[in-house]
């Protein structure tokens, strides 16, 4: 496995600031957490990773959430 150095974070950093790990995974598709100077954990963005199989219902939930987030202001205006 080839690891991009921008995807690496330490276990300590992951413990103290997991949102940073999530942002790395969002940006590059995955993040690698090192423990004792060895790759130990792989955090994947399941929406972007082709190796993760999602059911149709899960895919619909993801798409619905994206649409809702993107057009939230418009939906709120229509609801008035």
């Amino acid at each position: 496995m080839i690891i991009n150095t921008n995807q690496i974070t330490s276990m300590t950093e992951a413990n103290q600031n997991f949102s940073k790990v999530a942002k790395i995974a969002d940006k590059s598709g995955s993040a690698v957490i090192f423990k004792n100077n060895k790759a130990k954990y792989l955090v994947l963005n399941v929406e972007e990773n082709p190796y993760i199989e999602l059911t149709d219902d899960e895919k619909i939930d993801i798409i619905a959430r994206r649409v809702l987030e993107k057009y939230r202001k418009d939906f709120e205006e229509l609801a008035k």
Side-chain angles (χ1 to χ4, degrees):
M1 174 183 198
I2 298 173
I3 301 172
N4 180 339
T5 56
N6 295 327
Q7 294 173 271
I8 296 173
T9 189
S10 68
M11 177 65 86
T12 302
E13 180 71 25
N15 254 343
Q16 295 173 352
N17 191 2
F18 190 77
S19 63
K20 179 181 176 184
V21 178
K23 287 177 186 176
I24 292 170
D26 284 340
K27 183 177 180 183
S28 60
S30 64
V32 180
I33 300 173
F34 272 52
K35 183 175 182 180
N36 299 325
N37 295 319
K38 295 180 184 175
K40 181 73 174 176
Y41 301 102
L42 179 63
V43 178
L44 297 175
N45 179 338
V46 296
E47 295 176 3
E48 304 289 328
N49 195 300
Y51 301 110
I52 304 295
E53 293 291 325
L54 299 175
T55 66
D56 288 342
D57 287 342
E58 290 169 326
K59 290 176 186 176
I60 290 169
D61 287 343
I62 290 168
I63 293 168
R65 185 170 15 96
R66 285 183 184 171
V67 169
L68 197 70
E69 287 173 6
K70 185 174 182 178
Y71 298 107
R72 177 175 292 282
K73 290 180 183 177
D74 296 328
F75 286 128
E76 288 173 352
E77 187 65 32
L78 286 172
K80 291 181 182 179

